[in-house]
């Protein structure tokens, strides 16, 4: 048996001296050299005693070695579990425990904090730093640059990506080899990538967007990537004249538009700008076209499903829509109460089915059953409609979710911390419009009778338990939360009340 992911996307480049990664310091890593690094890492992982199907939890800075670690896991039949570099030890403990990870790989600076957790949970701990050094790299050096790929079937697990839940408990979305392979091939074809493309990669690699959409499309076609450690406006502007394509979240595009150096001439060699992970304002779409002559191609996806829809490459890219279902993906709009399919132009819940749809949530059969129907349709939690021309419009979310700069934040997780804070009776966390991040987090607190909560102390409490990107940008006090007759907090009224709080000056 072959190894579906490795043989379909990664290993096909073995021995090729074609450029794969262009680094900011001018270094170029070829496909062949990259795969040799991955093979050495696969050797080291196997020698550590990891067996096919074991989970490898990875919280490291973005680097070529970090990307090679993902490939090494595929080659060795392991399940790669990337984690946001901002997560606190509290958050990490949950992921390591819940996934039953056998190995944790972290930056050396996080080693002291994580060692007790790893020991307690029976996981080995290795380091991998932003510059590629670390104990794992040292081990890998003694292994050969080739590795006997472990057989894996299309339905075997390749990755776990945790997504937060509306109850505040994160769920491990189980992605199979074929989920990743099928989506990468479809997208590479649809977006007309070729080996001559040069893709700007400034996304983090702990989310599906940067880790799989961008990287796997590049690997599926053998093109190269300008690989930036993070989105840095100056670096991206410097890279644009040498690039042909870019993938980003809307904040990338609004930041570029905010810079006078971003001109039609600068992007003369570009053929494609793709946006996703959060809604792109029609206003941004129009400004972008006026400035550059390019119409941004917006697409829609989820951790659980990879990409579902995309605006067309050749046809009209319609602002405010996410285009058509991808080839092989079925999409329907259903009534949230009955599950019945709704007619054209009627708003309902978006459901999708196809080879892209994940296998379920790790060890959470009830949650899986609640969202993944027996017939294979996945209930996305997004609300939308399909217009008469077939374009999908996302009009809202039935899940209580904030998307800030492309990061998903589940209010419940923050409310649980705020509700426990001294002097607080209850809280509601909402997303309000923000000029840079699209939405940002606002915490609304109701003081306990006769008490005045210390907002600075509460922010300190939040910092200890939650990653920085989840922190409320502001906390406000309110005498009581608006509720409907059923007693449910009416967050829409709160959003209306505070919507102008971070408006542009
Ligand atoms: C950074 N901070 C944030 C965010 N990013 N806070 C809220 N939301 C964020 N997205 C914090 C920083 O820690 C910092 O805190 C402060 O906010 C300001 O940082 P700044 O320098 O402005 O931010 P940055 O480092 O430039 O990052 C902004 C960013 C980044 C470039 C937009 O967030 C980013 O790369 N986002 C992409 C996320 C992504 O890939 N999403 C895909 C997931 P302090 O001031 O205290 O230091 S969704 C997905 O994968 C699905 C499948 C899909 O459809 O794609
Ligand atoms: P994640 O948890 O990272 O998988 O986030 C997936 C969610 O991001 C989707 O369910 C949508 O709510 C949102 N999303 C992704 N792409 C888009 C888009 N182009 N427009 C609006 N929302 C999007």
């Amino acid at each position: 048996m072959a190894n579906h992911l490795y043989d379909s996307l990664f290993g096909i480049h073995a021995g090729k001296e074609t450029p794969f990664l262009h680094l900011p310091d001018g270094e170029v890593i070829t496909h062949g050299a990259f795969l040799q690094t991955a093979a050495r890492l696969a050797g080291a992982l196997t020698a550590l005693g990891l067996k096919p199907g074991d989970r490898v939890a990875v919280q490291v800075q973005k680097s070529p070695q970090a990307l090679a670690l993902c490939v090494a896991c595929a080659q060795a039949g392991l399940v790669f579990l990337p984690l946001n570099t901002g997560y606190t030890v509290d958050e990490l403990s949950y992921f390591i425990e819940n996934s039953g990870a056998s190995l944790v790989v972290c930056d050396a600076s996080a080693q002291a904090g994580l060692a007790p957790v790893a020991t307690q949970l029976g996981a080995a701990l290795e380091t991998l730093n932003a510059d590629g050094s670390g104990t794992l790299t040292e081990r890998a050096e003694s292994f050969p640059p080739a590795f006997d790929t472990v057989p894996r079937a299309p339905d075997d697990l390749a990755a776990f990506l945790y997504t937060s839940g509306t109850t505040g408990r994160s769920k491990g979305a189980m992605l199979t080899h074929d989920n990743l392979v099928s989506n990468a091939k479809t997208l590479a074809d649809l977006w007309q990538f070729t080996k001559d493309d040069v893709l700007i990669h400034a996304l983090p690699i702990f989310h599906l967007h940067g880790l799989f959409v961008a990287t796997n499309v590049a690997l599926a076609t053998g093109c190269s990537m300008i690989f930036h450690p993070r989105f840095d406006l100056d670096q991206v502007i410097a890279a644009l004249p040498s690039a042909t394509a870019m993938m980003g979240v809307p904040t990338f595009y609004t930041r570029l538009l905010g810079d006078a150096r971003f001109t039609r001439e600068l992007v003369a060699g570009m053929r494609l700008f793709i946006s996703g992970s959060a809604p792109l304002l029609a206003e941004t779409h129009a400004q972008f076209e006026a400035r550059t002559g390019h119409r941004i191609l917006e697409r829609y996806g989820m951790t659980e499903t990879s990409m579902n829809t995309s605006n067309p490459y050749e046809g009209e890219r319609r602002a405010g829509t996410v285009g058509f279902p991808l080839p092989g993906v079925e999409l329907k709009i259903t009534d949230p109460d009955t599950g019945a399919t709704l007619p054209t132009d009627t708003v309902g819940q978006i459901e999708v089915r196809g080879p892209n749809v994940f296998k379920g949530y790790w060890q959470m059969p009830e949650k899986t059953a609640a969202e993944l129907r027996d017939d294979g349709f996945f209930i996305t939690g997004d609300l939308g409609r399909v217009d008469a021309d077939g374009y999908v419009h996302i009009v809202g979310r039935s899940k209580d979710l904030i998307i800030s700069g492309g990061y998903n934040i589940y209010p419940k997780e923050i409310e649980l911390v705020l509700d426990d804070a001294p002097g607080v009776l209850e809280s509601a966390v909402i997303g309000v419009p923000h000029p840079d991040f699209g939405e940002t987090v606002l915490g609304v607190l109701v003081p306990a009778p006769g008490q005045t909560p210390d907002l600075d102390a509460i922010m300190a409490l939040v910092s200890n338990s939650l990653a920085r990107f989840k922190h409320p940008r502001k906390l406000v006090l309110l005498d009581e939360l608006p509720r409907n007759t059923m007693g449910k907090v009416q967050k829409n009224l709160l959003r209306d009340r505070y919507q102008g709080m971070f408006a542009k000056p």
Side-chain angles (χ1 to χ4, degrees):
M1 187 172 59
N3 178 312
H4 190 56
L5 177 57
Y6 189 81
D7 295 343
S8 307
L9 288 184
F10 305 152
I12 51 177
H13 305 291
K16 287 189 195 160
E17 291 315 306
T18 40
F20 176 43
L21 301 177
H22 306 272
L23 305 183
D25 64 1
E27 189 192 347
V28 178
I29 299 176
T30 64
H31 284 98
F34 176 77
L35 286 173
Q36 290 190 352
T37 304
R40 290 184 200 278
L41 285 165
L45 294 170
T46 307
L48 280 168
L50 298 175
K51 302 273 181 311
D54 283 351
R55 275 77 61 205
V56 179
V58 179
Q59 189 201 37
V60 298
Q61 296 297 328
K62 183 178 176 183
S63 69
Q65 290 80 6
L67 200 61
L69 180 55
C70 175
V71 176
C73 284
Q75 194 171 14
L78 305 169
V79 180
F80 188 69
L81 196 173
L83 293 161
N84 192 314
T85 45
Y87 285 147
T88 62
V89 172
D90 269 8
E91 289 166 315
L92 292 170
S93 307
Y94 171 78
F95 297 124
I96 298 166
E97 180 169 18
N98 182 266
S99 66
S102 307
L103 172 67
V104 178
V105 184
C106 69
D107 193 274
S109 62
Q111 191 177 13
L114 275 176
V117 177
T119 306
Q120 193 204 341
L121 297 173
L125 188 68
E126 295 287 329
T127 61
L128 178 60
N129 304 317
D131 63 3
S133 65
T135 58
L136 191 60
T137 313
E138 284 159 25
R139 283 183 192 280
E141 275 159 13
S142 59
F143 287 88
F147 178 86
D148 279 342
T149 305
V150 172
R152 290 274 95 181
D155 198 40
D156 281 331
L157 296 188
F160 265 20
L161 268 72
Y162 274 85
T163 79
S164 302
T166 41
T167 55
R169 296 233 90 183
S170 291
K171 303 167 284 184
M174 299 188 284
L175 302 179
T176 67
H177 280 235
D178 198 49
N179 289 153
L180 304 181
V181 171
S182 63
N183 214 238
K185 289 188 169 172
T186 301
L187 297 175
D189 196 38
L190 191 76
W191 295 337
Q192 302 196 7
F193 271 80
T194 72
K195 64 175 182 25
D196 299 323
D197 270 305
V198 181
L199 174 68
I200 295 184
H201 192 307
L203 289 156
I205 56 168
F206 45 71
H207 276 305
L208 191 125
H209 193 167
L211 181 63
F212 294 136
V213 183
T215 307
N216 289 355
V217 162
L219 283 161
T221 48
C223 78
S224 64
M225 302 197 284
I226 300 179
F227 200 64
H228 290 169
R230 56 181 286 276
F231 179 87
D232 176 275
L233 190 57
D234 291 335
Q235 280 191 1
V236 170
I237 285 180
L240 278 165
S242 333
T244 63
M246 174 164 160
M247 294 187 197
V249 296
T251 301
F252 287 17
Y253 296 117
T254 50
R255 287 188 181 182
L256 282 168
L257 284 169
D259 194 299
R261 293 170 295 174
F262 186 63
T263 59
R264 192 177 282 254
E265 294 69 41
L266 187 81
V267 301
M270 290 287 289
R271 68 168 185 88
L272 184 59
F273 291 92
I274 302 174
S275 177
S277 307
L280 182 77
L281 294 179
E283 180 195 331
T284 309
H285 195 278
Q287 276 178 12
F288 201 89
E289 185 175 14
R291 178 87 70 90
T292 65
H294 282 278
R295 287 177 77 82
I296 297 176
L297 185 153
E298 185 171 7
R299 58 50 172 188
Y300 156 60
M302 287 185 75
T303 299
E304 289 91 334
T305 62
S306 298
M307 299 304 100
N308 294 312
T309 74
S310 170
N311 268 280
Y313 186 77
E314 302 279 9
E316 186 194 346
R317 298 177 196 163
R318 211 172 270 185
T321 83
V322 292
F324 308 114
L326 298 178
V329 176
E330 295 168 81
L331 181 147
K332 61 182 183 178
I333 306 292
T334 60
D335 182 319
D337 296 327
T338 63
T341 303
L342 295 171
T344 301
D345 250 335
T346 312
V347 172
Q349 59 186 10
I350 300 177
E351 298 193 24
V352 293
R353 177 166 73 180
N356 54 321
V357 174
F358 76 142
K359 214 174 167 169
Y361 297 113
W362 172 250
Q363 291 183 339
M364 291 188 179
E366 293 88 17
K367 284 196 173 19
T368 302
E371 293 176 35
L372 191 56
R373 296 187 191 278
D374 290 343
D375 64 5
F377 271 98
F378 175 65
I379 306 167
T380 61
D382 290 309
L383 299 175
R385 66 185 169 87
V386 181
D387 68 23
D389 297 329
Y391 285 86
V392 178
H393 301 239
I394 298 178
V395 301
R397 302 167 202 136
S398 56
K399 52 194 171 192
D400 191 12
L401 164 69
I402 300 167
I403 306 184
S404 162
Y407 286 158
N408 286 8
I409 300 164
Y410 280 83
K412 187 73 191 171
E413 201 183 352
I414 307 164
E415 288 162 359
L416 290 172
V417 178
L418 296 178
D419 289 347
D420 266 355
V424 174
L425 179 68
E426 60 174 348
S427 68
V429 168
I430 54 169
V432 288
H434 186 272
D436 186 30
F437 287 135
E439 277 185 297
T440 195
V441 181
L442 180 73
V444 183
L445 305 178
V446 177
Q451 301 210 34
T452 310
D454 176 344
L455 300 187
D456 290 338
I458 295 177
M459 281 306 283
L461 200 71
V462 170
S463 304
N464 286 339
S465 43
L466 299 175
R468 172 77 185 91
F469 72 92
K470 299 177 190 170
H471 297 182
R473 198 155 287 262
K474 203 170 163 63
L475 295 173
V476 294
L477 298 174
L478 196 65
D479 289 343
E480 60 179 339
L481 298 176
R483 290 182 189 277
N484 65 14
T485 47
M486 309 289 287
K488 190 171 180 316
V489 176
Q490 291 173 298
K491 289 198 169 180
N492 54 330
L493 296 183
L494 290 174
R495 280 190 285 267
D496 290 347
R497 179 177 179 138
Y498 296 110
Q499 64 168 332
M501 190 155 238
F502 300 101
K504 278 182 213 164

